[in-house]
Amino acid sequence: MNSKKKILSCLLSVICSIMVFGQTNNDIPTAPKEYRRPDNYNPSEHRYPYSLEQLREKYSEGMMHKSEKEYNRVVKINADGVWKASLASLMRHPCPEWFQDAKFGMFIDWGPWSVAGWAKIPEKDATYPDWYEHRLDYSSVDKGYVERYHDKNWGTDFQRDDLIPLFRAERYQPSELVDIAIESGMKYIVPFCKHHGGFCLWESSYTFRDAKDMVGKDLIEPLVADCRAKGLKFGFYFSTEEWEYPMINFDGKLITRLWTGKYAPYKPEMETWASGKIAVKDFAKDYIIPQAVEFIDKYDPDILWYDGEWETPVELLGSFDISAYFYNQAEGRKEVAVNDRYGLMYGERMRDHSGDFYTSEYKYGEAYEGRIFHPWEECRGISQSFGFNWEDTDENVITSEQFIKMFLDIVSQGGNLLLVVNLDNQGALPEIQKKRLLDIGKWLSVNGEGIYGTRAYSITQEGNIRYTRSKDGKTVYAISIGYPSDKELELTAVKPAAGSEIRMLGYDKPLKWTIREGKTIITLPSKLQKTENRPCDYAYTFKISL
């Protein structure tokens, strides 16, 4: 962008921001030193040394030849295998029982965007720091605000990919993350292996835009190894769509593939938007499919978690081919799961219509009301932020009490919770998030029997009570949000047979109960009227044998 256009763009952004938000540069926060441009730092000295054209000349032909062989291998395996690359075949795949039993997982949102670590926090709703890079260069209502924030804290010469050399993972401790997940009661981990910018946290032979080439180490391999050693399932988060990708036109020249599969002429900004990417002719066959399959072969994940698909036809993403291959390589060996983010079919999103489990995002109460008959998973941040945000505080990080209520709403409706944690710019888990996770783990250590391995009961809730049931249907768990205010707990949704036993998890004696006026009346121990004598905080689980 030349200087005149830059000045005009900044002026228009300011005018737009004042009109829409009533904001000026005085309202732009100054980031802490760790989250703004280092002193005397010249970004141009740290940029990737090879242009997209140089990468095309040296690597594109060899990569496309390798990709063709790999794609043909995938096609053959799927043709010979149980699972075909078609919706009809993939829809027959059952959701693994272990996934439905697990209930709670860790979603690790971390990447180059974490270096900047910021998005404006609204009064309500979610905010997405992991879209920071994209919002620097694309016109939208909030783009002007993000761009002005960036100019103030990083400088007008600091481009999107200039964040990558500062993404050094100096505080990244995968073994500690796995230990925290286990202590928090989580059963699986899904890291952001590749987000929409195309930066891979593992060593990929289909790009130089990866952690091994640009950071000097594979950030996924040790995490996978530790999950395996400590008994956690591992998921592969993989965006099948990217904000932009260099492509080779019919005349052999570079063009740009944009989000949703549209094309635009090549422009110089691509050098600092897509550095390290190797140009190809077919986005899905030459790049997406072989890259995903290579990861599957190398790391053998238990979950394939697609994203980025919501505006792109499924045939442009290769997701059917990848899923069929994923199923076939696991067939007869272990049970695996794929989510519902395949892409568009006939112009409609396939979310809630495909996959072993459906996905909801910050919308569990809105999207799922009443009992759910298909496995599903809510993903949301431990704060309002998807991605690290240095402005997160106790005020917008979910409290332990809020978490328990939300978690019970989800589990009682048959769902899992994949809780987003946001590592900071160098890979550490912020202390405020760690404390919250460990507090959740304490509650689950007492009440986990009413959570793990359960299914939705015929009635999911009754006032402050949330219900779950054992898979064999012989036990119902009535979980009271807050300690019952009276000395007796009344339940109308469950009526145990004479002689059945009712217990409170964490309390060592059975409770007295009776049927009165069609209700189950449970007498609460006088000892537990005092808070310090209760087995836990926030919610209390009553185990009812039928």
Side-chain angles (χ1 to χ4, degrees):
M1 184 179 293
N2 62 40
S3 58
K4 290 184 178 179
K5 288 184 177 179
K6 181 69 176 179
I7 293 170
L8 180 59
S9 175
C10 291
L11 180 60
L12 290 174
S13 294
V14 171
I15 293 172
C16 179
S17 186
I18 292 172
M19 292 174 63
V20 177
F21 298 109
Q23 296 165 332
T24 67
N25 277 335
N26 293 331
D27 301 305
I28 303 295
T30 299
K33 186 174 182 179
E34 188 173 3
Y35 305 112
R36 63 178 189 262
R37 182 172 177 157
D39 294 338
N40 302 316
Y41 186 83
N42 184 351
S44 64
E45 295 177 356
H46 302 273
R47 287 176 182 160
Y48 191 68
Y50 303 106
S51 70
L52 297 178
E53 178 59 29
Q54 288 172 323
L55 293 178
R56 184 198 69 79
E57 291 177 352
K58 189 171 183 178
Y59 296 104
S60 289
E61 184 176 348
M63 175 171 151
M64 288 188 290
H65 180 69
K66 177 182 177 181
S67 296
E68 182 180 18
K69 291 172 62 177
E70 186 69 350
Y71 176 73
N72 290 338
R73 183 181 72 89
V74 169
V75 169
K76 186 177 188 309
I77 287 173
N78 290 344
D80 295 341
V82 173
W83 305 100
K84 312 301 180 185
S86 69
L87 181 61
S89 177
L90 300 177
M91 287 287 284
R92 292 189 294 104
H93 191 270
C95 184
E97 192 166 349
W98 67 257
F99 181 85
Q100 298 177 72
D101 290 347
K103 303 305 180 190
F104 192 24
M106 176 184 283
F107 211 8
I108 303 176
D109 188 327
W110 184 48
W113 57 89
S114 306
V115 173
W118 183 83
K120 184 174 174 59
I121 299 175
E123 288 187 19
K124 300 179 181 178
D125 304 321
T127 188
Y128 288 80
D130 56 16
W131 277 69
Y132 182 90
E133 301 135 289
H134 185 269
R135 288 171 178 162
L136 291 179
D137 304 297
Y138 289 82
S139 296
S140 64
V141 171
D142 74 340
K143 175 255 185 181
Y145 192 77
V146 173
E147 187 177 44
R148 288 185 294 116
Y149 170 89
H150 182 81
D151 290 350
K152 178 177 181 178
N153 289 284
W154 294 91
T156 57
D157 61 330
F158 198 100
Q159 304 302 311
R160 277 168 44 178
D161 285 359
D162 292 333
L163 294 169
I164 295 175
L166 296 172
F167 180 69
R168 296 185 291 261
E170 294 169 341
R171 294 191 289 266
Y172 178 57
Q173 298 291 333
S175 180
E176 181 182 342
L177 280 173
V178 173
D179 290 343
I180 291 171
I182 292 171
E183 195 170 348
S184 303
M186 295 165 165
K187 302 300 183 183
Y188 57 105
I189 289 180
V190 183
F192 272 38
C193 299
K194 189 194 77 168
H195 195 239
H196 313 321
F199 183 85
C200 302
L201 295 190
W202 78 97
E203 182 180 8
S204 170
S205 64
Y206 293 92
T207 187
F208 291 104
R209 192 182 178 84
D210 63 23
K212 181 67 173 179
D213 286 291
M214 293 188 167
V215 181
K217 51 189 172 182
D218 186 320
L219 301 174
I220 293 298
E221 188 171 39
L223 183 64
V224 174
D226 221 57
C227 284
R228 296 282 183 255
K230 296 173 181 175
L232 290 187
K233 301 290 187 181
F234 176 80
F236 175 35
Y237 170 97
F238 182 71
S239 180
T240 52
E241 185 59 281
E242 296 188 12
W243 291 321
E244 57 279 307
Y245 196 90
M247 303 292 292
I248 300 172
N249 204 358
F250 63 90
D251 58 2
K253 295 182 179 180
L254 289 179
I255 57 172
T256 302
R257 182 192 184 278
L258 300 174
W259 188 267
T260 75
K262 297 178 181 178
Y263 291 91
Y266 165 84
K267 52 185 178 180
E269 287 88 344
M270 280 288 286
E271 300 297 333
T272 52
W273 291 358
S275 59
K277 296 186 179 184
I278 303 170
V280 297
K281 293 181 178 178
D282 189 305
F283 181 70
K285 294 179 181 179
D286 292 339
Y287 173 58
I288 291 293
I289 295 171
Q291 185 179 60
V293 165
E294 180 183 55
F295 185 101
I296 291 166
D297 289 344
K298 185 174 182 179
Y299 299 104
D300 195 24
D302 304 292
I303 300 169
L304 178 52
W305 217 101
Y306 291 126
D307 198 17
E309 80 321 327
W310 53 87
E311 295 180 10
T312 307
V314 66
E315 60 268 19
L316 299 182
L317 300 176
S319 46
F320 284 176
D321 300 89
I322 299 168
S323 293
Y325 181 86
F326 183 52
Y327 289 155
N328 283 320
Q329 64 85 36
E331 182 66 19
R333 186 172 58 86
K334 68 174 187 176
E335 294 182 321
V336 296
V338 179
N339 72 347
D340 59 351
R341 301 188 178 193
Y342 274 95
L344 301 181
M345 278 197 78
Y346 309 114
E348 298 292 331
R349 293 182 184 180
M350 295 181 69
R351 295 190 190 187
D352 296 345
H353 302 292
S354 63
D356 300 318
F357 61 96
Y358 299 158
T359 57
S360 165
E361 188 169 313
Y362 280 98
K363 293 182 179 180
Y364 74 94
E366 171 187 327
Y368 299 97
E369 296 179 358
R371 185 176 176 180
I372 302 302
F373 293 94
H374 187 88
W376 65 283
E377 177 187 74
E378 163 75 10
C379 67
R380 63 145 289 154
I382 197 168
S383 72
Q384 291 171 266
S385 302
F386 244 73
F388 176 72
N389 194 337
W390 64 262
E391 286 200 296
D392 277 345
T393 67
D394 260 322
E395 294 183 2
N396 74 314
V397 172
I398 190 169
T399 67
S400 299
E401 184 175 8
Q402 289 169 335
F403 170 85
I404 296 301
K405 181 181 183 303
M406 174 186 68
F407 191 37
L408 292 176
D409 284 340
I410 292 167
V411 173
S412 67
Q413 295 179 47
N416 288 11
L417 173 60
L418 185 60
L419 188 64
V420 177
V421 298
N422 304 316
L423 307 188
D424 70 14
N425 58 350
Q426 297 307 325
L429 182 66
E431 195 64 27
I432 187 174
Q433 297 184 38
K434 180 179 178 180
K435 288 180 180 178
R436 200 72 82 241
L437 292 174
L438 295 181
D439 200 22
I440 292 164
K442 290 178 183 178
W443 185 87
L444 282 166
S445 69
V446 174
N447 298 278
E449 182 185 339
I451 300 296
Y452 304 118
T454 62
R455 299 294 183 267
Y457 185 51
S458 55
I459 295 175
T460 61
Q461 66 180 66
E462 175 186 358
N464 286 332
I465 302 296
R466 302 295 182 267
Y467 289 102
T468 64
R469 65 169 177 84
S470 61
K471 286 186 283 187
D472 62 10
K474 295 180 180 179
T475 305
V476 171
Y477 299 92
I479 309 175
S480 174
I481 299 173
Y483 196 78
S485 57
D486 298 324
K487 295 180 180 180
E488 294 182 334
L489 177 65
E490 296 185 358
L491 304 175
T492 59
V494 57
K495 295 180 177 59
S500 295
E501 185 175 86
I502 298 179
R503 287 181 175 270
M504 176 189 284
L505 297 186
Y507 182 68
D508 59 359
K509 297 178 181 179
L511 306 180
K512 296 179 181 179
W513 66 275
T514 188
I515 300 293
R516 185 192 308 152
E517 297 179 354
K519 298 179 180 180
T520 299
I521 310 297
I522 303 171
T523 301
L524 304 176
S526 57
K527 177 184 177 181
L528 298 183
Q529 296 304 313
K530 293 184 178 181
T531 302
E532 60 268 22
N533 293 334
R534 295 171 189 169
C536 60
D537 298 320
Y538 315 123
Y540 305 85
T541 303
F542 297 87
K543 179 182 179 181
I544 304 169
S545 300
L546 301 181

